[in-house]
């Protein structure tokens, strides 16, 4: 019986992880849950999974949950997420909150020696070097949940040699084939319609700008210790080949499956075993028009190059890029800026960023806060 805690239990990844736990009741005991505002869903989850600890976004919500479930250990806010991450009656943490708020809980869970399944890619984008160092020092295992990184991880099972290249695939998002002029006209509603994946709103917009792939390049660099110049991105509109690895004998190993996040979520939860996860099976030979691959149009989708640039510059550049992207996506979701403003402002962010050295996790937080403040005060 694996005792698991989930950050972001009401989100796209969190609910699918609970589907996997429900299918494998003999293998998982859900001991702690954390969410933001969706407390009506959290109440259902508490009734079904009977955790001992929960955390919500506000004190008001915490009081409401506390009244309904006497005896339940209820927390809230930033500290609440950290309590759940460190909870002593869990050995395994799935971090599926959205955004930079996931980084410190990941760090605290490493210090508390939890095995970590990481969906929250922002953790590694902003604080990759310190997180990898902490994992090494504490002897803790991190299992990727992102489908591309899970594919790479699966392709590396049994490998004893270093990797020559990582081949990351990307669906291309809803605006694949668009010109820069067309991109200037797109609406929020169009951007939220991903062709293949059903995901939370922030990552759906990141997929439309292709910043999601940029964030994944940085995530892959840290997870697999491969230089960014040896990480390539290829658009693969069918989202069947989830990524591949090339070894020094030029052998390429890829992982395939339907575009269903339950597969990588389940692999992280049941690793090294594989168990039924409720996904449909892949009918590989039904793709009569074939599986296709094409280059990313970098003249239109500039976020991929911005990520390469941020990782090359190092220091606080990736944290600034990540924090700025989070604020800009939120502004776009509120219809305060246009779609193209996201990448245009991010180019300015990298141009004008005054880097600081990252020695402690607090330095990453400071770089993140500073860039958020500048964008909100419109000083960029
Ligand atoms: N969805 C995917 O297919 C996918 C694939 C690969 C990687 N990821 C990564 O996984 C992470 C989660 O993505 P998602 O698509 O599952 O996002 P999502 O559907 O938006 O869910 C986000 C979760 O975070 C919680 N949350 C938001 N603000 C919070 C706060 N202030 N305090 C505590 N909890 C808060 C939400 O709670 P409420 O809903 O209750 O407010 C929800 O449970 C992201 O880092 C994303 O990049 C997602």
């Amino acid at each position: 019986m694996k005792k698991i805690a989930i950050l972001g239990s009401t989100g796209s990844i969190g609910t699918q992880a609970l589907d996997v736990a429900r299918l494998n009741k003999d293998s998982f005991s859900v001991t702690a849950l954390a969410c933001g505002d969706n407390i009506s869903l959290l109440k259902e989850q508490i009734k079904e999974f009977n955790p001992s600890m929960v955390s919500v976004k506000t004190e008001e919500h915490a009081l409401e949950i506390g009244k309904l479930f006497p005896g339940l250990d209820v927390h809230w806010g930033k500290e609440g997420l950290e309590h759940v991450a460190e909870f002593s009656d869990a050995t395994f943490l799935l971090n599926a909150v959205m955004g930079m708020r996931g980084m410190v809980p990941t760090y605290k869970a490493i210090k508390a020696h939890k095995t970590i399944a990481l969906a929250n890619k922002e953790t590694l984008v902003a604080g990759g070097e310190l997180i990898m160092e902490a994992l090494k020092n504490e002897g803790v295992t991190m299992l990727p949940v992102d489908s591309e990184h899970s594919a790479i991880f699966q392709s590396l099972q049994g490998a004893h040699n270093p990797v020559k290249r990582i081949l990351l695939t990307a669906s291309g998002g809803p605006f694949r084939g668009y010109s820069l002029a067309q991109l200037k006209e797109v609406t929020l509603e169009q951007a939220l319609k991903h062709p293949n994946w059903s995901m939370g709103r922030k990552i759906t917009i990141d997929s439309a700008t292709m910043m999601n792939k940029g964030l994944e390049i940085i995530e892959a660099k840290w997870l697999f210790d491969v230089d960014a110049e040896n990480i390539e991105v290829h658009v693969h509109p069918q989202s069947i080949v989830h990524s591949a690895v090339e070894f020094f004998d030029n052998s390429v190993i890829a992982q395939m499956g339907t575009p269903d996040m339950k597969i990588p979520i389940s692999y992280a939860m049941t690793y090294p075993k594989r168990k039924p996860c409720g996904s449909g099976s892949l009918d590989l030979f039904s793709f009569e028009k074939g599986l296709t691959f094409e280059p990313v149009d970098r003249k239109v989708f500039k976020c991929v190059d911005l990520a390469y640039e941020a990782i090359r510059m190092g220091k606080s550049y990736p944290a600034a890029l990540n924090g700025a992207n989070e604020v800009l996506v939120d502004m776009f979701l509120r219809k305060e800026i246009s779609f193209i403003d996201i990448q245009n402002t991010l180019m300015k962010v990298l141009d004008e960023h005054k880097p600081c050295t990252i020695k402690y996790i607090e330095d990453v937080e400071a770089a993140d806060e500073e860039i958020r403040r500048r964008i909100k005060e419109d000083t960029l």
Side-chain angles (χ1 to χ4, degrees):
M1 204 47 130
K2 201 177 268 181
K3 291 183 170 185
I4 64 172
I6 301 179
L7 305 182
S9 65
T10 51
S12 163
I13 295 287
T15 51
Q16 293 180 82
L18 287 172
D19 290 344
V20 172
R22 188 180 294 114
L23 254 185
N24 296 283
K25 283 202 174 94
D26 298 346
S27 307
F28 300 108
S29 160
V30 179
T31 59
L33 296 171
C35 77
D37 288 315
N38 192 351
I39 59 162
S40 53
L41 179 55
L42 180 69
K43 286 176 198 167
E44 298 303 316
Q45 294 177 345
I46 295 170
K47 282 183 204 153
E48 181 179 356
F49 292 97
N50 194 25
S52 321
M53 179 188 279
V54 299
S55 176
V56 290
K57 192 162 146 189
T58 64
E59 184 175 6
E60 195 191 341
H61 284 155
L63 288 172
E64 188 180 332
I65 295 285
K67 267 191 204 146
L68 268 174
F69 300 97
L72 180 62
D73 191 6
V74 187
H75 300 266
W76 67 89
K78 194 170 171 285
E79 288 77 20
L81 283 176
E82 293 169 20
H83 283 308
V84 170
E86 295 173 312
F87 184 41
S88 59
D89 198 30
T91 54
F92 184 96
L93 174 75
L94 170 67
N95 187 346
V97 282
M98 184 280 285
M100 176 65 186
R101 67 176 63 82
M103 184 189 72
V104 172
T106 306
Y107 190 70
K108 298 236 164 168
I110 296 170
K111 295 281 178 187
H113 295 107
K114 312 294 177 195
T115 299
I116 296 165
L118 189 76
N120 178 263
K121 63 188 81 184
E122 294 88 350
T123 284
L124 285 177
V125 174
E129 191 163 7
L130 295 179
I131 295 288
M132 296 316 289
E133 196 180 283
L135 285 168
K136 198 171 155 203
N137 291 343
E138 303 294 336
V140 164
T141 303
M142 179 174 272
L143 301 157
V145 170
D146 228 334
S147 59
E148 295 78 358
H149 303 75
S150 175
I152 296 160
F153 183 66
Q154 293 183 53
S155 303
L156 286 172
Q157 293 306 302
H160 297 286
N161 296 101
V163 160
K164 186 171 153 196
R165 280 191 306 164
I166 282 180
L167 309 166
L168 275 182
T169 54
S171 71
F175 306 132
R176 182 171 69 90
Y178 277 42
S179 66
L180 209 46
Q182 284 175 304
L183 222 51
K184 286 181 184 154
E185 306 298 326
V186 302
T187 64
L188 173 61
E189 291 68 27
Q190 289 171 313
L192 283 171
K193 275 199 190 124
H194 196 281
N196 302 349
W197 298 93
S198 164
M199 310 180 283
R201 284 158 67 87
K202 193 254 177 184
I203 185 175
T204 302
I205 301 303
D206 283 345
S207 299
T209 60
M210 293 209 69
M211 177 47 91
N212 186 46
K213 218 40 59 181
L215 302 179
E216 287 176 6
I217 292 165
I218 303 175
E219 186 185 6
K221 177 213 155 39
W222 291 119
L223 270 176
F224 305 110
D225 193 21
V226 173
D227 289 341
E229 56 262 35
N230 296 325
I231 303 174
E232 285 179 15
V233 177
H234 299 270
V235 172
H236 167 47
Q238 298 82 18
S239 297
I240 296 299
V241 176
H242 294 304
S243 281
V245 166
E246 185 183 20
F247 294 94
F248 279 97
D249 60 357
N250 295 329
S251 181
V252 174
I253 299 186
Q255 183 263 344
M256 290 185 269
T258 55
D260 183 341
M261 281 307 294
K262 281 208 274 294
I263 299 173
I265 293 169
S266 169
Y267 189 67
M269 287 171 69
T270 62
Y271 177 80
K273 293 185 180 157
R274 291 181 187 270
K275 296 204 171 176
C277 66
S279 79
S281 72
L282 172 65
D283 188 0
L284 185 58
F285 304 105
S286 68
F287 288 87
E288 284 167 9
K289 291 187 184 150
L291 298 178
T292 60
F293 301 89
E294 61 198 44
V296 178
D297 187 346
R298 292 182 176 193
K299 289 202 174 84
V300 175
F301 296 97
K302 307 202 175 184
C303 290
V304 172
D305 283 348
L306 292 180
Y308 279 118
E309 182 74 358
I311 200 74
R312 190 183 60 76
M313 313 259 268
K315 295 186 176 173
S316 52
Y317 277 96
L321 184 70
N322 180 66
N325 181 56
E326 235 176 280
V327 178
L328 293 164
V329 170
D330 188 52
M331 289 169 84
F332 173 64
L333 286 168
R334 293 168 193 271
K335 299 197 172 180
E336 291 169 7
I337 59 170
S338 72
F339 184 78
I340 202 76
D341 286 337
I342 301 176
Q343 70 178 27
N344 287 347
T345 313
L346 289 174
M347 286 191 269
K348 234 171 146 204
V349 166
L350 283 199
D351 270 354
E352 296 181 12
H353 182 60
K354 295 188 178 57
C356 51
T357 307
I358 302 290
K359 262 181 114 175
Y360 305 104
I361 211 79
E362 291 78 11
D363 300 332
V364 184
E365 291 185 286
D368 175 76
E369 279 159 23
E370 168 66 9
I371 198 71
R372 284 169 196 264
R373 188 190 57 72
R374 286 197 64 198
I375 292 179
K376 281 184 186 146
E377 289 173 2
D378 208 11
T379 52
L380 266 170

